[in-house]
Amino acid sequence: MPEISATLLNRINPIMDTLKPAAIRAFDAQVSDVPGIIKLTIGEPDFDAPAKIKAAAVASIKNNESHYGKTRGSLALRQAISDFLRRKYELDYSADSEIIVTVGAMEALETSLRTILKPGDEVIVPTPGYPMYLSILKSLGAVPICVNTAVNGFKLTPQQLADELYHHNAKAIIFNFPSNPTGVTYTAKELAELAAVMQQHDIFVLADEIYSEFTYADHHVSLAKYLPNQTILVSGASKAYAMTGYRVGFVSAPAPLINEITKFHQYTVTTHINSSMAAATVAFNECDAAISLGD
Amino acid sequence: MPVITNDLLKKINPVMDQLQPGSIRAFDEQVSEIEDIIKLTLGEPDFDAPEKVKAAAIASVENNESHYAKTPGNIALREAMAAFLSRKYDLNYEPATEILVTLGATEAIQISLATILEPGDEVIIPTPTFPLYESDVISLGGVPVFVNTQPDGFVLTPERLAATLADHPTAKCLVFNYPSNPTGVTYTATQLEALANIIKQYDVFVMSDEIYSELTYTQQHVSMAQYLPEQTILISGASKAYAMTGYRIGLLAAPAALVKHITKLHQYAVTTHVNSAMAAATVAFNECDDEIAVMRDAYQTRREMLVHAFTDMGLTVASPDGAFYLFIKIPAAFGDDDFKFAVTLAQEAKVALIPGSSFGPGGQGYVRLSYAASEAKLNTAVERIRIYLEGMKKREGEQYARI
Ligand SMILES: Cc1ncc(COP(=O)(O)O)c(C=O)c1O
């Protein structure tokens, strides 16, 4: 039971005191003890991962793939992600140089933001949004510019975006759709219009499209289709394939950016876990049918 | 093929330009092209993970443990880690509040430093050492203060530490790694106590990376946390002792008030660990003391063979107390140019070792050999180095004869 002295504890980075554990998880933990409670709190699929995916993880373990993987993730998985992005969203990302496998979309967001932001940089965040964006920005000393979209049915409009970009010298926009918490998403036409505004500025757009496979009306269209040169596309296997616990996320972006993001990925985790990567390879390659079971 | 404009690319965090991809992996990739090369470059056990460990991972997958785990890691694993620290090193950490499961020791190191450092803060780093510490400190806007330990046989002496702290009284953190990568040197209880007595006089954190603690050959490992629990952030994990690098299990133990803060950054960085890897590590920490002993014996046999062989060749090595590294002084003909020696050796003898200067001040003039490789491979490597050195001597002799 080591006890730290108050004076030493006072010497930690003062930002830490302003950071909170994720509110959603804290609330979930708090209500979990209520007898008979039905929790619809956590954004996590209730399905088990498909059997094929589990079999791939088991085979990887049995085959003693217990050594350090490649820093950016196994080439097989990066290829599967590249194929998935082409097949589903008509995107063109090279497995060799434009994709990195991360520990969940969370690491993808954190390392990407850390790569582009220095303390004091402004970042546009449409709200209501996923609270972790604000937490990560705070931890990096960046300044969120929250844009309330409730007035427009929870959609960021081109006019609103243009106004914010006029008033703020923002370094980046965090753009999440389909949206957590509203479920709202954007049509191809809306995205094209927003992209036209973004194109007029030297800004990065962090497109968090982790829920891309969960569109119930129209097929998902990626922002990267309209704005490939500025988009840092974040997604993963967690939601679509009911494999949150495998923690497989990815970033696709222009190669020079991936080179930079790779440094922080290496410093943060070295590389991903082989059995998770083997499972995700099968997910992206072979489990399109399993996704539609979630209808 | 998205193409970023130069103007936009210039807008990334300016610190990125100071950061280099890991130099060890870079050198490894460079020499990998050489045909028939024997690489003793990477610090990664050549063993497979124990069968019990694999079985636990498989059971976890089959039981559909595919959902988000608790943020600080499964309590079963944290209990196993606490029991391990108590059983092996007599340490007393509370699983619920004082232990965090991370993605490798790597993540534990990064989030600890991110929690304590503000831009401009100094961090004392005895060298030569694992290059990640410097990269992390720089990426956080901190200032590394290197302390070259080469003159003292790669041991940080109380005198040198006292002088360094006197020169840098506001340093935020001291990074301490033993058994050491790259030198293999470790510390005795007496040495640690003397250092702890000096550190105690300052409000400074000690990040003690003891990931190689189970691999000591001359003495039982003693943890810094035994002498300085209030100030120590203890880093360890399953990677090295249990041959589980690919499972990415790291362990962080520290006072609860600190773990609480560090856990926030863990959550931001990765949310939580992977269930099957945690199930595997629980069995490792609880049930695999015997498996560790078998691997340790194998390393010890290799180590003795190698020390004998290099001494025979007239080369000296740093005191090889632990880990699975030999830090070898390069032949005098190469002076301090360890990079040239490593490249020449790779090309002519087809044995790849890591240039010592990759590990910071004091590493120049040395190369690191990792003996986490099979005995057969090590024997061949030794033979190749011997033949190369004999050839070199002969060529030198002929040069003299011509003069
Ligand atoms: C001293 C030291 N610390 C930490 C690590 C990283 O270990 P892990 O694989 O658990 O991240 C290494 C691996 O080479 C190391 O040598």
PDB file of all heavy atoms in Angstrom, chain A residues 1 11 16 19 25 44 54 64 66 68 71 92 171 229 245 263 270, chain B residues 1 3 11 19 25 44 54 66 68 71 92 106 170 172 203 246 264:
ATOM      1  N   MET A   1       0.830  -1.216   0.000  1.00  0.00           N
ATOM      2  CA  MET A   1       0.000   0.000   0.000  1.00  0.00           C
ATOM      3  C   MET A   1       0.855   1.253   0.000  1.00  0.00           C
ATOM      4  O   MET A   1       1.029   1.913   1.034  1.00  0.00           O
ATOM      5  CB  MET A   1      -0.890  -0.013   1.247  1.00  0.00           C
ATOM      6  CG  MET A   1      -2.128  -0.841   1.067  1.00  0.00           C
ATOM      7  SD  MET A   1      -3.366   0.064   0.116  1.00  0.00           S
ATOM      8  CE  MET A   1      -3.872   1.280   1.332  1.00  0.00           C
ATOM      9  N   ARG A  11       2.839  17.656  -8.059  1.00  0.00           N
ATOM     10  CA  ARG A  11       3.745  17.969  -9.169  1.00  0.00           C
ATOM     11  C   ARG A  11       3.312  17.344 -10.497  1.00  0.00           C
ATOM     12  O   ARG A  11       3.976  17.529 -11.502  1.00  0.00           O
ATOM     13  CB  ARG A  11       5.167  17.517  -8.826  1.00  0.00           C
ATOM     14  CG  ARG A  11       5.789  18.281  -7.673  1.00  0.00           C
ATOM     15  CD  ARG A  11       7.301  18.118  -7.663  1.00  0.00           C
ATOM     16  NE  ARG A  11       7.923  18.875  -8.742  1.00  0.00           N
ATOM     17  CZ  ARG A  11       9.149  18.654  -9.199  1.00  0.00           C
ATOM     18  NH1 ARG A  11       9.889  17.701  -8.686  1.00  0.00           N
ATOM     19  NH2 ARG A  11       9.643  19.383 -10.188  1.00  0.00           N
ATOM     20  N   MET A  16      -4.172  17.139 -15.486  1.00  0.00           N
ATOM     21  CA  MET A  16      -4.790  15.887 -15.036  1.00  0.00           C
ATOM     22  C   MET A  16      -6.017  16.120 -14.163  1.00  0.00           C
ATOM     23  O   MET A  16      -6.983  15.383 -14.232  1.00  0.00           O
ATOM     24  CB  MET A  16      -3.781  15.017 -14.282  1.00  0.00           C
ATOM     25  CG  MET A  16      -2.640  14.488 -15.113  1.00  0.00           C
ATOM     26  SD  MET A  16      -3.111  13.662 -16.647  1.00  0.00           S
ATOM     27  CE  MET A  16      -4.070  12.285 -16.036  1.00  0.00           C
ATOM     28  N   LEU A  19      -9.185  16.575 -16.034  1.00  0.00           N
ATOM     29  CA  LEU A  19      -9.667  15.451 -16.851  1.00  0.00           C
ATOM     30  C   LEU A  19     -10.525  14.529 -16.010  1.00  0.00           C
ATOM     31  O   LEU A  19     -10.236  14.275 -14.855  1.00  0.00           O
ATOM     32  CB  LEU A  19      -8.486  14.656 -17.415  1.00  0.00           C
ATOM     33  CG  LEU A  19      -7.481  15.431 -18.250  1.00  0.00           C
ATOM     34  CD1 LEU A  19      -6.375  14.493 -18.725  1.00  0.00           C
ATOM     35  CD2 LEU A  19      -8.152  16.099 -19.439  1.00  0.00           C
ATOM     36  N   ARG A  25     -19.017   5.711 -19.139  1.00  0.00           N
ATOM     37  CA  ARG A  25     -18.617   4.512 -18.410  1.00  0.00           C
ATOM     38  C   ARG A  25     -18.817   4.704 -16.912  1.00  0.00           C
ATOM     39  O   ARG A  25     -19.186   3.778 -16.200  1.00  0.00           O
ATOM     40  CB  ARG A  25     -17.153   4.170 -18.690  1.00  0.00           C
ATOM     41  CG  ARG A  25     -16.901   3.854 -20.139  1.00  0.00           C
ATOM     42  CD  ARG A  25     -15.591   3.117 -20.293  1.00  0.00           C
ATOM     43  NE  ARG A  25     -15.841   1.890 -21.026  1.00  0.00           N
ATOM     44  CZ  ARG A  25     -15.241   0.741 -20.780  1.00  0.00           C
ATOM     45  NH1 ARG A  25     -14.359   0.643 -19.821  1.00  0.00           N
ATOM     46  NH2 ARG A  25     -15.516  -0.301 -21.494  1.00  0.00           N
ATOM     47  N   GLU A  44     -22.390  -0.835 -27.349  1.00  0.00           N
ATOM     48  CA  GLU A  44     -21.682  -2.075 -27.576  1.00  0.00           C
ATOM     49  C   GLU A  44     -22.663  -3.113 -28.100  1.00  0.00           C
ATOM     50  O   GLU A  44     -23.721  -3.343 -27.511  1.00  0.00           O
ATOM     51  CB  GLU A  44     -21.094  -2.522 -26.242  1.00  0.00           C
ATOM     52  CG  GLU A  44     -20.748  -3.972 -26.197  1.00  0.00           C
ATOM     53  CD  GLU A  44     -19.646  -4.262 -25.224  1.00  0.00           C
ATOM     54  OE1 GLU A  44     -19.822  -3.980 -24.044  1.00  0.00           O
ATOM     55  OE2 GLU A  44     -18.629  -4.784 -25.661  1.00  0.00           O
ATOM     56  N   LYS A  54     -13.904 -15.941 -34.374  1.00  0.00           N
ATOM     57  CA  LYS A  54     -13.331 -16.586 -33.200  1.00  0.00           C
ATOM     58  C   LYS A  54     -12.334 -17.668 -33.622  1.00  0.00           C
ATOM     59  O   LYS A  54     -11.255 -17.801 -33.035  1.00  0.00           O
ATOM     60  CB  LYS A  54     -14.455 -17.206 -32.352  1.00  0.00           C
ATOM     61  CG  LYS A  54     -15.338 -16.158 -31.690  1.00  0.00           C
ATOM     62  CD  LYS A  54     -16.677 -16.706 -31.225  1.00  0.00           C
ATOM     63  CE  LYS A  54     -16.528 -17.926 -30.336  1.00  0.00           C
ATOM     64  NZ  LYS A  54     -17.859 -18.428 -29.900  1.00  0.00           N
ATOM     65  N   ASN A  64       1.137 -20.159 -32.331  1.00  0.00           N
ATOM     66  CA  ASN A  64       2.219 -19.454 -31.644  1.00  0.00           C
ATOM     67  C   ASN A  64       2.580 -18.110 -32.270  1.00  0.00           C
ATOM     68  O   ASN A  64       3.748 -17.743 -32.332  1.00  0.00           O
ATOM     69  CB  ASN A  64       3.471 -20.330 -31.580  1.00  0.00           C
ATOM     70  CG  ASN A  64       3.245 -21.545 -30.714  1.00  0.00           C
ATOM     71  OD1 ASN A  64       2.744 -21.428 -29.602  1.00  0.00           O
ATOM     72  ND2 ASN A  64       3.590 -22.714 -31.231  1.00  0.00           N
ATOM     73  N   SER A  66       2.923 -15.409 -31.154  1.00  0.00           N
ATOM     74  CA  SER A  66       2.982 -14.705 -29.872  1.00  0.00           C
ATOM     75  C   SER A  66       4.120 -13.705 -29.837  1.00  0.00           C
ATOM     76  O   SER A  66       4.480 -13.200 -28.787  1.00  0.00           O
ATOM     77  CB  SER A  66       3.141 -15.716 -28.740  1.00  0.00           C
ATOM     78  OG  SER A  66       4.268 -16.523 -28.978  1.00  0.00           O
ATOM     79  N   TYR A  68       6.144 -10.049 -31.327  1.00  0.00           N
ATOM     80  CA  TYR A  68       5.747  -8.706 -31.750  1.00  0.00           C
ATOM     81  C   TYR A  68       5.265  -8.717 -33.196  1.00  0.00           C
ATOM     82  O   TYR A  68       5.962  -9.221 -34.085  1.00  0.00           O
ATOM     83  CB  TYR A  68       6.944  -7.749 -31.683  1.00  0.00           C
ATOM     84  CG  TYR A  68       7.377  -7.317 -30.296  1.00  0.00           C
ATOM     85  CD1 TYR A  68       8.667  -7.577 -29.840  1.00  0.00           C
ATOM     86  CD2 TYR A  68       6.527  -6.604 -29.461  1.00  0.00           C
ATOM     87  CE1 TYR A  68       9.094  -7.158 -28.578  1.00  0.00           C
ATOM     88  CE2 TYR A  68       6.948  -6.179 -28.197  1.00  0.00           C
ATOM     89  CZ  TYR A  68       8.229  -6.458 -27.769  1.00  0.00           C
ATOM     90  OH  TYR A  68       8.655  -6.037 -26.536  1.00  0.00           O
ATOM     91  N   THR A  71       4.772  -3.047 -36.768  1.00  0.00           N
ATOM     92  CA  THR A  71       4.322  -1.838 -36.085  1.00  0.00           C
ATOM     93  C   THR A  71       2.941  -1.371 -36.561  1.00  0.00           C
ATOM     94  O   THR A  71       2.072  -1.061 -35.759  1.00  0.00           O
ATOM     95  CB  THR A  71       5.346  -0.701 -36.293  1.00  0.00           C
ATOM     96  OG1 THR A  71       6.610  -1.166 -35.826  1.00  0.00           O
ATOM     97  CG2 THR A  71       4.955   0.542 -35.519  1.00  0.00           C
ATOM     98  N   ASP A  92      -9.850   4.517 -51.980  1.00  0.00           N
ATOM     99  CA  ASP A  92      -8.611   3.959 -52.510  1.00  0.00           C
ATOM    100  C   ASP A  92      -7.461   4.221 -51.526  1.00  0.00           C
ATOM    101  O   ASP A  92      -6.849   5.290 -51.553  1.00  0.00           O
ATOM    102  CB  ASP A  92      -8.346   4.630 -53.871  1.00  0.00           C
ATOM    103  CG  ASP A  92      -7.093   4.083 -54.527  1.00  0.00           C
ATOM    104  OD1 ASP A  92      -6.633   3.008 -54.109  1.00  0.00           O
ATOM    105  OD2 ASP A  92      -6.577   4.751 -55.442  1.00  0.00           O
ATOM    106  N   LYS A 171      -7.449  24.257 -36.515  1.00  0.00           N
ATOM    107  CA  LYS A 171      -6.492  23.322 -37.110  1.00  0.00           C
ATOM    108  C   LYS A 171      -7.209  22.084 -37.644  1.00  0.00           C
ATOM    109  O   LYS A 171      -6.749  21.444 -38.578  1.00  0.00           O
ATOM    110  CB  LYS A 171      -5.479  22.951 -36.013  1.00  0.00           C
ATOM    111  CG  LYS A 171      -4.443  21.911 -36.319  1.00  0.00           C
ATOM    112  CD  LYS A 171      -3.248  22.391 -37.110  1.00  0.00           C
ATOM    113  CE  LYS A 171      -2.103  23.134 -36.504  1.00  0.00           C
ATOM    114  NZ  LYS A 171      -1.217  22.416 -35.618  1.00  0.00           N
ATOM    115  N   ASN A 229      -7.746  14.232 -49.478  1.00  0.00           N
ATOM    116  CA  ASN A 229      -6.432  14.788 -49.152  1.00  0.00           C
ATOM    117  C   ASN A 229      -6.373  15.451 -47.783  1.00  0.00           C
ATOM    118  O   ASN A 229      -5.317  15.720 -47.255  1.00  0.00           O
ATOM    119  CB  ASN A 229      -6.011  15.784 -50.228  1.00  0.00           C
ATOM    120  CG  ASN A 229      -6.056  15.152 -51.599  1.00  0.00           C
ATOM    121  OD1 ASN A 229      -6.102  13.922 -51.701  1.00  0.00           O
ATOM    122  ND2 ASN A 229      -6.066  15.962 -52.635  1.00  0.00           N
ATOM    123  N   GLY A 245     -14.355  -6.097 -27.801  1.00  0.00           N
ATOM    124  CA  GLY A 245     -13.297  -6.581 -26.918  1.00  0.00           C
ATOM    125  C   GLY A 245     -12.011  -6.958 -27.637  1.00  0.00           C
ATOM    126  O   GLY A 245     -10.974  -7.101 -27.007  1.00  0.00           O
ATOM    127  N   LYS A 263       4.603   6.897 -35.571  1.00  0.00           N
ATOM    128  CA  LYS A 263       5.557   7.134 -34.470  1.00  0.00           C
ATOM    129  C   LYS A 263       4.827   7.068 -33.127  1.00  0.00           C
ATOM    130  O   LYS A 263       5.269   6.381 -32.202  1.00  0.00           O
ATOM    131  CB  LYS A 263       6.212   8.510 -34.613  1.00  0.00           C
ATOM    132  CG  LYS A 263       7.079   8.673 -35.850  1.00  0.00           C
ATOM    133  CD  LYS A 263       7.648  10.092 -35.883  1.00  0.00           C
ATOM    134  CE  LYS A 263       8.297  10.400 -37.225  1.00  0.00           C
ATOM    135  NZ  LYS A 263       8.618  11.841 -37.359  1.00  0.00           N
ATOM    136  N   THR A 270       3.455  -0.006 -29.179  1.00  0.00           N
ATOM    137  CA  THR A 270       4.364  -0.784 -30.027  1.00  0.00           C
ATOM    138  C   THR A 270       3.618  -1.345 -31.233  1.00  0.00           C
ATOM    139  O   THR A 270       3.910  -0.981 -32.357  1.00  0.00           O
ATOM    140  CB  THR A 270       5.050  -1.942 -29.274  1.00  0.00           C
ATOM    141  OG1 THR A 270       5.603  -1.443 -28.068  1.00  0.00           O
ATOM    142  CG2 THR A 270       6.188  -2.544 -30.100  1.00  0.00           C
TER     143      THR A 270
ATOM    144  N   MET B   1      -5.599   6.747 -53.523  1.00  0.00           N
ATOM    145  CA  MET B   1      -4.328   7.422 -53.208  1.00  0.00           C
ATOM    146  C   MET B   1      -4.557   8.866 -52.810  1.00  0.00           C
ATOM    147  O   MET B   1      -4.410   9.777 -53.630  1.00  0.00           O
ATOM    148  CB  MET B   1      -3.422   7.385 -54.444  1.00  0.00           C
ATOM    149  CG  MET B   1      -2.492   6.201 -54.469  1.00  0.00           C
ATOM    150  SD  MET B   1      -1.104   6.463 -53.358  1.00  0.00           S
ATOM    151  CE  MET B   1      -0.141   7.688 -54.277  1.00  0.00           C
ATOM    152  N   VAL B   3      -3.664  12.450 -51.488  1.00  0.00           N
ATOM    153  CA  VAL B   3      -2.401  13.194 -51.490  1.00  0.00           C
ATOM    154  C   VAL B   3      -2.590  14.452 -50.667  1.00  0.00           C
ATOM    155  O   VAL B   3      -3.456  15.272 -50.959  1.00  0.00           O
ATOM    156  CB  VAL B   3      -1.990  13.578 -52.923  1.00  0.00           C
ATOM    157  CG1 VAL B   3      -0.678  14.338 -52.900  1.00  0.00           C
ATOM    158  CG2 VAL B   3      -1.868  12.328 -53.777  1.00  0.00           C
ATOM    159  N   LYS B  11       1.287  21.784 -41.138  1.00  0.00           N
ATOM    160  CA  LYS B  11       0.530  22.202 -39.959  1.00  0.00           C
ATOM    161  C   LYS B  11       0.492  21.152 -38.840  1.00  0.00           C
ATOM    162  O   LYS B  11      -0.084  21.400 -37.791  1.00  0.00           O
ATOM    163  CB  LYS B  11      -0.900  22.587 -40.360  1.00  0.00           C
ATOM    164  CG  LYS B  11      -0.930  23.842 -41.224  1.00  0.00           C
ATOM    165  CD  LYS B  11      -2.336  24.338 -41.464  1.00  0.00           C
ATOM    166  CE  LYS B  11      -2.795  25.283 -40.365  1.00  0.00           C
ATOM    167  NZ  LYS B  11      -4.142  25.832 -40.638  1.00  0.00           N
ATOM    168  N   LEU B  19      10.934  13.629 -33.744  1.00  0.00           N
ATOM    169  CA  LEU B  19      10.744  12.235 -33.354  1.00  0.00           C
ATOM    170  C   LEU B  19      11.142  11.310 -34.491  1.00  0.00           C
ATOM    171  O   LEU B  19      10.770  11.540 -35.638  1.00  0.00           O
ATOM    172  CB  LEU B  19       9.277  11.989 -32.986  1.00  0.00           C
ATOM    173  CG  LEU B  19       8.739  12.885 -31.873  1.00  0.00           C
ATOM    174  CD1 LEU B  19       7.259  12.611 -31.650  1.00  0.00           C
ATOM    175  CD2 LEU B  19       9.513  12.678 -30.590  1.00  0.00           C
ATOM    176  N   ARG B  25      14.574  -0.980 -34.614  1.00  0.00           N
ATOM    177  CA  ARG B  25      13.824  -1.629 -35.689  1.00  0.00           C
ATOM    178  C   ARG B  25      14.340  -1.192 -37.058  1.00  0.00           C
ATOM    179  O   ARG B  25      14.368  -1.974 -37.997  1.00  0.00           O
ATOM    180  CB  ARG B  25      12.328  -1.323 -35.552  1.00  0.00           C
ATOM    181  CG  ARG B  25      11.687  -2.112 -34.425  1.00  0.00           C
ATOM    182  CD  ARG B  25      10.174  -2.121 -34.534  1.00  0.00           C
ATOM    183  NE  ARG B  25       9.656  -3.306 -33.848  1.00  0.00           N
ATOM    184  CZ  ARG B  25       8.539  -3.931 -34.166  1.00  0.00           C
ATOM    185  NH1 ARG B  25       7.796  -3.505 -35.162  1.00  0.00           N
ATOM    186  NH2 ARG B  25       8.152  -4.987 -33.515  1.00  0.00           N
ATOM    187  N   GLU B  44      13.467  -9.949 -28.060  1.00  0.00           N
ATOM    188  CA  GLU B  44      12.215 -10.689 -28.042  1.00  0.00           C
ATOM    189  C   GLU B  44      12.496 -12.168 -27.831  1.00  0.00           C
ATOM    190  O   GLU B  44      13.256 -12.770 -28.580  1.00  0.00           O
ATOM    191  CB  GLU B  44      11.511 -10.481 -29.380  1.00  0.00           C
ATOM    192  CG  GLU B  44      10.360 -11.394 -29.570  1.00  0.00           C
ATOM    193  CD  GLU B  44       9.429 -10.909 -30.665  1.00  0.00           C
ATOM    194  OE1 GLU B  44       9.906 -10.560 -31.753  1.00  0.00           O
ATOM    195  OE2 GLU B  44       8.234 -10.882 -30.394  1.00  0.00           O
ATOM    196  N   LYS B  54      -1.674 -20.258 -23.616  1.00  0.00           N
ATOM    197  CA  LYS B  54      -2.406 -20.302 -24.885  1.00  0.00           C
ATOM    198  C   LYS B  54      -3.821 -20.854 -24.655  1.00  0.00           C
ATOM    199  O   LYS B  54      -4.804 -20.333 -25.203  1.00  0.00           O
ATOM    200  CB  LYS B  54      -1.650 -21.180 -25.893  1.00  0.00           C
ATOM    201  CG  LYS B  54      -0.349 -20.554 -26.366  1.00  0.00           C
ATOM    202  CD  LYS B  54       0.590 -21.555 -27.042  1.00  0.00           C
ATOM    203  CE  LYS B  54      -0.065 -22.291 -28.192  1.00  0.00           C
ATOM    204  NZ  LYS B  54       0.866 -23.282 -28.799  1.00  0.00           N
ATOM    205  N   SER B  66     -15.997 -11.208 -25.787  1.00  0.00           N
ATOM    206  CA  SER B  66     -15.619 -10.298 -26.878  1.00  0.00           C
ATOM    207  C   SER B  66     -16.119  -8.893 -26.623  1.00  0.00           C
ATOM    208  O   SER B  66     -16.161  -8.065 -27.518  1.00  0.00           O
ATOM    209  CB  SER B  66     -16.173 -10.819 -28.199  1.00  0.00           C
ATOM    210  OG  SER B  66     -17.568 -11.010 -28.092  1.00  0.00           O
ATOM    211  N   TYR B  68     -16.321  -5.148 -24.229  1.00  0.00           N
ATOM    212  CA  TYR B  68     -15.399  -4.265 -23.521  1.00  0.00           C
ATOM    213  C   TYR B  68     -15.098  -4.777 -22.124  1.00  0.00           C
ATOM    214  O   TYR B  68     -16.017  -5.064 -21.354  1.00  0.00           O
ATOM    215  CB  TYR B  68     -16.016  -2.877 -23.340  1.00  0.00           C
ATOM    216  CG  TYR B  68     -16.033  -1.996 -24.562  1.00  0.00           C
ATOM    217  CD1 TYR B  68     -17.225  -1.474 -25.044  1.00  0.00           C
ATOM    218  CD2 TYR B  68     -14.851  -1.639 -25.212  1.00  0.00           C
ATOM    219  CE1 TYR B  68     -17.255  -0.620 -26.146  1.00  0.00           C
ATOM    220  CE2 TYR B  68     -14.882  -0.795 -26.322  1.00  0.00           C
ATOM    221  CZ  TYR B  68     -16.084  -0.291 -26.777  1.00  0.00           C
ATOM    222  OH  TYR B  68     -16.115   0.554 -27.857  1.00  0.00           O
ATOM    223  N   THR B  71     -12.034  -0.832 -17.546  1.00  0.00           N
ATOM    224  CA  THR B  71     -10.965   0.064 -17.982  1.00  0.00           C
ATOM    225  C   THR B  71      -9.578  -0.308 -17.453  1.00  0.00           C
ATOM    226  O   THR B  71      -8.637  -0.412 -18.239  1.00  0.00           O
ATOM    227  CB  THR B  71     -11.308   1.525 -17.593  1.00  0.00           C
ATOM    228  OG1 THR B  71     -12.571   1.850 -18.169  1.00  0.00           O
ATOM    229  CG2 THR B  71     -10.255   2.491 -18.089  1.00  0.00           C
ATOM    230  N   ASN B  92       3.653  -4.782  -1.846  1.00  0.00           N
ATOM    231  CA  ASN B  92       2.282  -4.793  -1.377  1.00  0.00           C
ATOM    232  C   ASN B  92       1.437  -3.791  -2.170  1.00  0.00           C
ATOM    233  O   ASN B  92       1.412  -2.602  -1.861  1.00  0.00           O
ATOM    234  CB  ASN B  92       2.307  -4.444   0.122  1.00  0.00           C
ATOM    235  CG  ASN B  92       0.931  -4.524   0.736  1.00  0.00           C
ATOM    236  OD1 ASN B  92      -0.008  -5.018   0.115  1.00  0.00           O
ATOM    237  ND2 ASN B  92       0.803  -4.016   1.953  1.00  0.00           N
ATOM    238  N   THR B 106       5.256  -0.626 -22.826  1.00  0.00           N
ATOM    239  CA  THR B 106       5.325   0.570 -23.671  1.00  0.00           C
ATOM    240  C   THR B 106       4.235   1.574 -23.301  1.00  0.00           C
ATOM    241  O   THR B 106       4.510   2.757 -23.105  1.00  0.00           O
ATOM    242  CB  THR B 106       5.174   0.161 -25.153  1.00  0.00           C
ATOM    243  OG1 THR B 106       6.206  -0.765 -25.464  1.00  0.00           O
ATOM    244  CG2 THR B 106       5.268   1.359 -26.078  1.00  0.00           C
ATOM    245  N   THR B 170      14.936  20.533  -9.765  1.00  0.00           N
ATOM    246  CA  THR B 170      13.500  20.535 -10.050  1.00  0.00           C
ATOM    247  C   THR B 170      13.110  19.457 -11.057  1.00  0.00           C
ATOM    248  O   THR B 170      11.979  19.451 -11.551  1.00  0.00           O
ATOM    249  CB  THR B 170      13.033  21.903 -10.588  1.00  0.00           C
ATOM    250  OG1 THR B 170      13.743  22.165 -11.797  1.00  0.00           O
ATOM    251  CG2 THR B 170      13.278  23.010  -9.577  1.00  0.00           C
ATOM    252  N   LYS B 172      11.566  16.398 -12.751  1.00  0.00           N
ATOM    253  CA  LYS B 172      10.271  15.836 -12.382  1.00  0.00           C
ATOM    254  C   LYS B 172      10.360  14.332 -12.172  1.00  0.00           C
ATOM    255  O   LYS B 172       9.613  13.749 -11.403  1.00  0.00           O
ATOM    256  CB  LYS B 172       9.310  16.147 -13.538  1.00  0.00           C
ATOM    257  CG  LYS B 172       7.824  16.285 -13.341  1.00  0.00           C
ATOM    258  CD  LYS B 172       7.341  17.048 -12.196  1.00  0.00           C
ATOM    259  CE  LYS B 172       6.349  18.152 -12.263  1.00  0.00           C
ATOM    260  NZ  LYS B 172       5.549  18.439 -13.375  1.00  0.00           N
ATOM    261  N   ASP B 203      11.440  15.789  -4.238  1.00  0.00           N
ATOM    262  CA  ASP B 203      10.089  15.481  -4.693  1.00  0.00           C
ATOM    263  C   ASP B 203      10.156  15.094  -6.158  1.00  0.00           C
ATOM    264  O   ASP B 203       9.798  15.871  -7.047  1.00  0.00           O
ATOM    265  CB  ASP B 203       9.177  16.690  -4.498  1.00  0.00           C
ATOM    266  CG  ASP B 203       8.432  16.608  -3.177  1.00  0.00           C
ATOM    267  OD1 ASP B 203       8.126  15.471  -2.751  1.00  0.00           O
ATOM    268  OD2 ASP B 203       8.174  17.662  -2.597  1.00  0.00           O
ATOM    269  N   GLY B 246       3.804 -10.647 -28.032  1.00  0.00           N
ATOM    270  CA  GLY B 246       2.673 -10.370 -28.933  1.00  0.00           C
ATOM    271  C   GLY B 246       1.341 -10.233 -28.217  1.00  0.00           C
ATOM    272  O   GLY B 246       0.375  -9.739 -28.787  1.00  0.00           O
ATOM    273  N   LYS B 264      -6.957   7.556 -16.480  1.00  0.00           N
ATOM    274  CA  LYS B 264      -7.702   8.395 -17.431  1.00  0.00           C
ATOM    275  C   LYS B 264      -7.006   8.379 -18.792  1.00  0.00           C
ATOM    276  O   LYS B 264      -7.650   8.235 -19.830  1.00  0.00           O
ATOM    277  CB  LYS B 264      -7.766   9.840 -16.932  1.00  0.00           C
ATOM    278  CG  LYS B 264      -8.482  10.034 -15.611  1.00  0.00           C
ATOM    279  CD  LYS B 264      -8.440  11.516 -15.238  1.00  0.00           C
ATOM    280  CE  LYS B 264      -8.566  11.741 -13.756  1.00  0.00           C
ATOM    281  NZ  LYS B 264      -8.253  13.143 -13.381  1.00  0.00           N
TER     282      LYS B 264
END
